[in-house]
Amino acid sequence: MPRFSVIVPAYQVQAYLRECLESVLTQSYPDLELIAVDDCSPDACGAVIDEFAARDPRVRPVHLPANVGLGPARNAGMARATGDYLVFLDGDDTLTPDALLAVADRLKETGDPDVLVYDYARAYWTGETVRNQVAAQLAEHGPAPFTLADRPGLLSLLAVAWNKAYRREFVEREGFTFPPGYYEDTPWTYPVLMTAGTVATLDRVCVHYRQRRAGGILHTTSERHFEVFGQYDRVFAHLDAHPDLERWRPVLFRRMVDHLLTVYTRPDRLPRGSRAAFLRRAREQYRRHRTPGAP
């Protein structure tokens, strides 16, 4: 059983996939399996994955018969994972050198927590890298592991799946999976952090998050950005089903409002003529989930 199952979904990232996979296989910590999921990509992603699998037995290729999207593609990878910990990496991003060694050391130091949160830097086409602006939340001082109640500031981090390592037994026991659609990380990240019995942090950049000039989902103008509403409905449905997590409702309501404002105000997301409809949906969402005591 490997220590890490690194799950890489790939769809139309042919130009970046080799660098991504190399960044995993050249890690100084070799105890891993790399589950590369070809999400029925129309470019050469599938061929690239097969090429890497032919030369390294740690690569486990998965070819999906139809395009299912990022969340379900990750689920397909999880279903085949055998490692102690799950690590997600998008096909256009990279692990930094020695990242998995640092993660493994920190997991050992903190007693194998359910979730380990680490940092990332945005990598621009100019070669510049800029670290996450709220990296202070990842400070390693104080007792570890802990629960989210001890470090609620972790909810202010970017709600993504790829800045954490997850104990696979914890994920399977709780039944966590990714939903379909845009913003699929939202109903994964918040329930995972709220539910984890033990959490730790690693104050180190482990992922370079590629800032593409064009082609990234969040920079694609589409009515699919309306799917953000359904993703937050899933978050609050999780709270409804777990009364012991009720204390987090005001904070998550505020996170939702901030997120909807971001989608609405970014000029590259909503198609022309759809902004009024988005605002109406946002008002309905606000009324439906409004929470007394929200900051």
Side-chain angles (χ1 to χ4, degrees):
M1 180 185 297
R3 186 59 163 160
F4 296 109
S5 293
V6 183
I7 298 170
V8 178
Y11 182 76
Q12 291 189 331
V13 289
Q14 171 185 332
Y16 314 107
L17 186 58
R18 291 178 185 275
E19 184 181 0
C20 171
L21 300 182
E22 289 282 8
S23 78
V24 177
L25 297 176
T26 57
Q27 287 288 307
S28 57
Y29 190 90
D31 188 12
L32 62 91
E33 62 180 0
L34 170 54
I35 304 174
V37 183
D38 168 23
D39 188 14
C40 201
S41 186
D43 58 10
C45 284
V48 170
I49 290 170
D50 287 341
E51 173 192 328
F52 275 78
R55 77 184 204 209
D56 194 317
R58 295 176 297 171
V59 180
R60 300 180 60 190
V62 178
H63 296 280
L64 300 182
N67 175 245
V68 295
L70 183 56
R74 286 174 176 161
N75 294 338
M78 279 198 294
R80 294 162 173 81
T82 64
D84 296 330
Y85 278 84
L86 305 173
V87 172
F88 298 100
L89 185 67
D90 287 353
D92 53 354
D93 297 336
T94 56
L95 291 180
T96 60
D98 302 315
L100 291 184
L101 178 61
V103 170
D105 287 345
R106 185 61 175 162
L107 289 172
K108 184 177 180 180
E109 290 172 4
T110 56
D112 282 359
D114 291 336
V115 181
L116 176 72
V117 188
Y118 43 81
D119 207 7
Y120 68 92
R122 297 176 187 268
Y124 293 88
W125 54 88
T126 60
E128 179 187 16
T129 57
V130 179
R131 191 173 182 180
N132 163 35
Q133 294 182 352
V134 290
Q137 298 295 341
L138 300 175
E140 296 174 21
H141 59 75
F146 49 83
T147 66
L148 184 63
D150 301 312
R151 299 275 290 273
L154 291 177
L155 291 178
S156 65
L157 295 171
L158 191 64
V160 291
W162 43 256
N163 65 347
K164 306 171 186 73
Y166 310 86
R167 194 163 59 83
R168 182 168 59 86
E169 290 183 357
F170 160 68
V171 171
E172 292 177 349
R173 184 185 71 238
E174 299 296 335
F176 289 123
T177 59
F178 290 91
Y182 279 20
Y183 305 103
E184 74 293 325
D185 284 346
T186 299
W188 165 276
T189 299
Y190 294 135
V192 163
L193 285 175
M194 291 185 296
T195 305
T198 50
V199 181
T201 56
L202 172 61
D203 188 9
R204 185 190 192 278
V205 171
C206 294
V207 176
H208 278 164
Y209 174 30
R210 189 183 301 272
Q211 303 299 288
R212 294 160 61 178
R213 290 190 182 187
I217 287 176
L218 295 186
H219 298 286
T220 301
T221 302
S222 169
E223 289 196 357
R224 293 199 62 187
H225 289 287
F226 279 70
E227 293 171 10
V228 68
F229 297 112
Q231 304 296 20
Y232 275 98
D233 286 340
R234 290 183 171 99
V235 172
F236 288 104
H238 185 83
L239 292 182
D240 292 339
H242 298 81
D244 55 310
L245 302 179
E246 184 65 22
R247 61 175 294 177
W248 298 110
R249 192 178 296 269
V251 177
L252 292 176
F253 175 77
R254 180 52 191 263
R255 295 295 294 164
M256 179 193 75
V257 171
D258 289 344
H259 197 168
L260 297 183
L261 283 171
T262 297
V263 175
Y264 180 74
T265 56
R266 291 289 174 89
D268 55 354
R269 297 199 185 180
L270 297 174
R272 182 174 298 179
S274 69
R275 297 176 65 79
F278 187 91
L279 190 57
R280 286 194 296 271
R281 285 285 300 276
R283 288 168 176 161
E284 294 169 3
Q285 193 90 346
Y286 184 95
R287 288 193 293 267
R288 180 162 62 253
H289 296 303
R290 187 174 184 179
T291 304

